[in-house]
Amino acid sequence: LRIAVNADSLATWFVPALAAFAAEADALVQVTVDDETHTAEALRRGEVLAAVCARARPVQGCRVTALGALRYRATASPAFVARHFPRGVGVRALAQAACLRFDRKDELQAQWVQRVFGRAVTMPQHALPSSESFVQATLLGLGWALNPEPLVAAHLAAGRLVELKPATPLDQPLYWQASRLAGPALAPLTKAVLAAAATLVPPR
């Protein structure tokens, strides 16, 4: 079965779904990784049979189910904050401090800045296409970043990371889109995905 999943879901909650599915079904899975805003395109082109995506509207021939949201926190190391935001996090400081970006499709940092400060800011960026490396790079002070809460909760609790602006999470809604034609074959996987998605922020 060919499916498309965003990297942060794969790094946090999705692998247990694959394991649960494999324990009950005699089928192999081929996973394609892409940004959640683009995985639906692979489904539309017929390259995959199902996808975790940010698109709520069904792709033609597909059934869509809301999974909930993956919560992100804008985080940085205490040393990075002390160096780049000594007077607090503001638009001028953000225009000078490096942030991390997964790839050219990743707009989470820009979305967070727009939501919190009400305007777009051109920021210096490091490109780092790995969810786990994103966290490590943030810990080591390479830049600040929107990191999935499940990957940084322990670091925040221990003080190894801090939020740029407390209590300003960014929730990315996620949806499971699956081909209707492949419904019977996908049913066990869909069941496993919905069960694993219980760890996400509940859909509104």
Side-chain angles (χ1 to χ4, degrees):
L1 297 177
R2 292 171 294 134
I3 60 176
V5 183
N6 61 307
D8 286 339
S9 287
L10 201 60
T12 53
W13 66 274
F14 194 79
V15 171
L18 294 178
F21 167 71
E24 296 187 6
D26 184 19
L28 298 176
V29 175
Q30 180 178 329
V31 177
T32 297
V33 177
D34 203 347
D35 187 87
E36 63 272 10
T37 60
H38 291 262
T39 48
E41 290 303 305
L43 192 58
R44 184 184 60 78
R45 293 191 298 265
E47 297 170 0
V48 298
L49 294 175
V52 174
C53 60
R55 173 173 167 159
R57 188 174 64 181
V59 173
Q60 185 174 2
C62 294
R63 185 187 306 274
V64 60
T65 305
L67 297 174
L70 185 55
R71 174 160 289 176
Y72 289 81
R73 300 283 181 178
T75 56
S77 69
F80 186 92
V81 171
R83 177 183 177 186
H84 295 281
F85 306 116
R87 298 178 180 84
V89 180
V91 170
R92 183 174 297 181
L94 286 168
Q96 301 296 322
C99 70
L100 306 181
R101 190 179 188 184
F102 192 88
D103 56 23
R104 61 182 177 80
K105 301 174 183 176
D106 178 14
E107 298 294 337
L108 288 179
Q109 284 67 224
Q111 289 175 17
W112 180 83
V113 169
Q114 179 72 50
R115 180 172 299 180
V116 173
F117 297 94
R119 57 170 291 185
V121 177
T122 300
M123 301 174 291
Q125 300 172 338
H126 295 293
L128 194 63
S130 164
S131 299
E132 293 82 358
S133 295
F134 235 62
V135 176
Q136 183 182 16
T138 309
L139 286 164
L140 294 175
L142 183 62
W144 71 270
L146 268 289
N147 280 303
E149 187 175 73
L151 296 184
V152 296
H155 296 305
L156 288 168
R160 293 184 293 268
L161 291 176
V162 294
E163 283 193 81
L164 267 60
K165 287 284 189 180
T168 57
L170 179 68
D171 291 343
Q172 174 62 66
L174 296 173
Y175 302 87
W176 176 246
Q177 296 223 27
S179 167
R180 292 179 182 272
L181 291 177
L186 288 170
L189 179 58
T190 295
K191 178 182 176 182
V193 167
L194 297 183
T199 62
L200 296 172
V201 176
R204 294 176 180 177

